[in-house]
Amino acid sequence: MDVTVIGCGYVGLVTATCLASIGHTVRGVEKDPRKLKTLKDGHCPIFEPGLQELMQEHYASGALQFTDNVKAATQDAEVIFLAVGTPPKADGTVDMSYLEAAGKEVCDALAENENDYLVTIVVKSTVPAGTNRKLYNFLKQQTKAYVQVVSNPEFLREGTAVHDFLEPDRIVIGGESPEAFRMMRRLYDPIVKREEAFMTMNWESAELTKYAANAMLAARISFMNEMTILCEAYGADIEEIRKGIGSDFRIGPAFLKAGCGYGGSCFPKDVAALEHISRAIGHESLFVNAIQKINTAQKVRFAEKIMQKLGRPIVGAKIAVWGLAFKADTDDIRESPALDVIRHLLDKGAHVTATDPKAMENMKHVFKDEVEWSPDPVSCAVGADAVALLTDWPQYSTLPFRKIAATMNQPIIFDGRNCLHRDLMRETGFQYYPMGRPAVENALRLKHKV
Ligand code: UGA
């Protein structure tokens, strides 16, 4: 099919590339001249495993093209995706200006193109309930083009986005037109493995499904994070509890990992938006509010724990931060717990050294010379009074810990992601503080005896 994707940011580029990879002809529209040049040079402007290779393959074959010209790009399009950003405003409400601008531009282009076949506009951006209906009414008023609107929320995780797109649990399509539903079914045919996985519903249900999915996942994490407080007070182990409840098929094991808080460009934004969507109808959502409060408190609790257990004043203490990205396999630092934890430590007078395999350049723009930057975790920890591990990069669990302990001022690790092994920490001479799990407190003394 002939497809246009407006917006080649994270979601748009993954969508455009993956649709090209399943046989469609796709034009990606990007207005940012720098980003467009990067794309036209055959490079991927974001770090996402597998995306660059797939993009280059289909760009080279001509199945995937890039332009900044909406009119030309939509000339023959059967399906037009709107995949522009809907970032949060300062008050937590959704900034719809990019989507409105894209909608208007597509509307003008359709009016000029005067095609006589059905064009389906697909809203991929995460938008409040009612947006698709408004867009449809707007297009109906403004153009005579034969056009339908469907909502098609994305459920891509950064780091596994290509896999998530090509092997989806489900594809959610919201709308009112059976013809548009059929068009979307045809578009996604190569990746619909089970008919039940292709779901059609009304616009508002699809729009709210997106927010509900992210809020539910964030709620599971916040619940487990709150449980870490009980675990630490009563001597329980959150990992055992995770296994204990995750094996119940009604609960399931995913998204129950406790840590120093969730981050990223989606959970914090979408949970906040859901709160505002509720408020807009005069409903104060206690539940959604609690998800956010627990998350904020967990980041502070982690930083406070460092100060309590450090065994020396935080002023002038050197804290080595391992991991800056909001999760592993990405260079994305948006709403990363590292932002809050580092800010807290700096405000209390700590000297922070930091490292990350992918996200360091992004974080340098935030903290500049307030933080000392290290190329790797081993050099980052030299002379440190403690390590704070904030991202679950797999390589952090196989470091030469004995050597690291020997170079530190005091061998203490605060594991904000519960990704290190207690026994290894004990054996290599570390004092070790995970989240909601028993700590190793006697290792320091043992080391000194030796
Ligand atoms: C999330 C959703 O998982 C996707 O389904 C959704 O499409 C996407 O948001 C979006 O709305 O675009 P993403 O933000 O890429 O994807 O990352 P996740 O893997 O969901 O992780 C989010 C945060 O939760 C990370 O900080 C991660 O470390 C944390 N997390 C995740 C936990 O603390 N515990 C867990 O058990 C899982």
Side-chain angles (χ1 to χ4, degrees), residues 190-210:
I191 54 175
V192 176
K193 298 281 173 340
R194 294 170 297 118
E195 211 45 58
E196 325 79 84
F198 185 81
M199 299 172 189
T200 56
M201 52 187 82
N202 73 11
W203 282 311
E204 290 76 11
S205 304
E207 289 162 335
L208 280 178
T209 294
K210 168 67 190 185

Side-chain angles (χ1 to χ4, degrees), residues 21-334:
S21 81
I22 58 170
H24 301 298
T25 300
V26 185
R27 279 170 304 270
V29 178
E30 179 52 56
K31 293 283 180 165
D32 177 338
R34 263 197 15 227
K35 227 189 245 174
L36 182 64
K37 183 174 182 315
T38 307
L39 292 166
K40 285 191 152 188
D41 288 344
H43 299 300
C44 185
I46 52 168
F47 170 74
E48 177 63 33
L51 185 61
Q52 165 117 342
E53 297 80 345
L54 205 61
M55 188 200 118
Q56 284 172 343
E57 182 187 339
H58 296 285
Y59 184 56
S61 76
L64 179 61
Q65 296 151 30
F66 298 105
T67 175
D68 57 0
N69 187 330
V70 171
K71 184 167 184 296
T74 54
Q75 193 94 50
D76 302 310
E78 296 163 87
V79 180
I80 302 173
F81 278 85
L82 301 184
V84 294
T86 46
K89 290 202 246 178
D91 64 358
T93 56
V94 182
D95 180 353
M96 299 292 286
S97 57
Y98 302 104
L99 190 76
E100 283 163 6
K104 283 202 184 88
E105 208 171 345
V106 167
C107 179
D108 293 343
L110 290 178
E112 284 179 45
N113 289 349
E114 289 182 346
N115 294 330
D116 57 356
Y117 56 84
L118 172 65
V119 178
T120 301
I121 313 276
V122 187
V123 177
K124 199 80 181 146
S125 314
T126 301
V127 292
T131 305
N132 280 266
R133 193 175 291 278
K134 258 193 237 155
L135 177 64
Y136 178 71
N137 290 337
F138 169 78
L139 291 169
K140 280 284 144 207
Q141 275 167 17
Q142 300 295 319
T143 164
K144 295 208 167 19
Y146 182 27
V147 62
Q148 283 296 342
V149 172
V150 299
S151 161
N152 174 210
E154 55 87 14
F155 304 106
L156 311 173
R157 289 163 301 171
E158 285 189 29
T160 54
V162 172
H163 167 272
D164 291 349
F165 192 98
L166 295 174
E167 293 191 32
D169 295 333
R170 78 298 205 188
I171 294 170
V172 170
I173 307 292
E176 289 196 331
S177 151
E179 206 179 345
F181 288 160
R182 277 197 295 279
M183 207 146 164
M184 295 306 287
R185 178 65 186 79
R186 193 150 65 86
L187 181 82
Y188 282 124
D189 191 59
I191 54 175
V192 176
K193 298 281 173 340
R194 294 170 297 118
E195 211 45 58
E196 325 79 84
F198 185 81
M199 299 172 189
T200 56
M201 52 187 82
N202 73 11
W203 282 311
E204 290 76 11
S205 304
E207 289 162 335
L208 280 178
T209 294
K210 168 67 190 185
Y211 286 110
N214 274 357
M216 176 63 85
L217 295 170
R220 288 167 68 95
I221 300 168
S222 274
F223 175 75
M224 294 304 276
N225 283 345
E226 190 164 67
M227 287 293 291
T228 62
I229 300 172
L230 300 187
C231 287
E232 287 174 21
Y234 287 106
D237 184 339
I238 194 72
E239 280 298 301
E240 300 298 346
I241 295 175
R242 181 165 77 97
K243 284 187 221 144
I245 65 171
S247 53
D248 183 328
F249 80 96
R250 295 167 302 176
I251 298 175
F255 279 75
L256 292 178
K257 278 211 80 166
C260 56
Y262 63 75
S265 64
C266 306
F267 284 179
K269 160 177 93 82
D270 291 350
V271 176
L274 197 55
E275 191 179 30
H276 283 276
I277 293 169
S278 304
R279 210 167 277 156
I281 54 155
H283 173 65
E284 207 53 51
S285 175
L286 302 176
F287 183 72
V288 170
N289 191 268
I291 299 171
Q292 301 175 90
K293 283 208 168 119
I294 294 168
N295 197 51
T296 304
Q298 190 75 348
K299 294 182 270 189
V300 175
R301 210 168 70 78
F302 180 78
E304 296 279 333
K305 195 203 270 185
I306 295 177
M307 288 186 273
Q308 276 164 20
K309 302 288 185 186
L310 196 58
R312 56 150 291 168
I314 189 71
V315 177
K318 181 171 170 179
I319 310 295
V321 172
W322 290 356
L324 303 167
F326 82 96
K327 66 174 189 178
D329 277 332
T330 176
D331 63 354
D332 196 339
I333 58 159
R334 284 177 288 178

Side-chain angles (χ1 to χ4, degrees), residues 237 415 419-428 430 432 434 437-442:
D237 184 339
D415 183 355
C419 52
L420 304 180
H421 290 286
R422 281 183 81 234
D423 292 346
L424 179 65
M425 292 298 101
R426 189 195 302 281
E427 284 157 20
T428 50
F430 275 95
Y432 175 63
R437 311 195 72 187
V440 175
E441 302 227 73
N442 54 354

